[in-house]
Amino acid sequence: MKPPTLARPDSKLLWMCSLPLDIGKGPLTQAQVEDMWITDRQALLYCYRRHLALRNFVIDRDDALRGEGGR
C-alpha cells in the first residue's frame, strides 16, 4: 500500500498577517483616523479569510488522509 502524501497549502495561506498601522504620537484628524481604521479593518478581514482557508485546508486534508468524507 502506498503511504499517504501530505499536501502543502498554497503559500499565500501561510503569509503573516499585517500589523496594525502605527498611529504615531501626535494628534490625528478625523479623516486620518477613518483612513487608518478602514485600512486596518481590511487587513483584519483579509487575514481572517486566509486563516479560515488554511484551517479548512488542514481539516479537508486530514479527513482525506483518514479516508473520511469531506465537508
Side-chain angles (χ1 to χ4, degrees):
M1 185 160 139
K2 184 175 154 183
T5 58
L6 196 58
R8 292 187 180 271
D10 186 301
S11 63
K12 290 180 182 178
L13 297 180
L14 302 175
W15 288 350
M16 298 269 302
C17 293
S18 298
L19 294 174
L21 294 175
D22 181 359
I23 61 171
K25 297 192 184 302
L28 300 171
T29 66
Q30 181 70 30
Q32 289 173 313
V33 170
E34 291 173 6
D35 287 343
M36 288 180 178
W37 182 84
I38 290 169
T39 300
D40 278 344
R41 180 83 176 154
Q42 289 171 336
L44 178 63
L45 289 171
Y46 182 67
C47 182
Y48 170 79
R49 289 180 185 127
R50 278 189 298 113
H51 183 267
L52 184 60
L54 179 59
R55 174 197 164 272
N56 291 341
F57 170 86
V58 170
I59 289 170
D60 290 345
R61 179 195 64 193
D62 291 356
D63 284 351
L65 287 171
R66 285 191 295 272
E68 300 171 3
R71 290 177 282 131

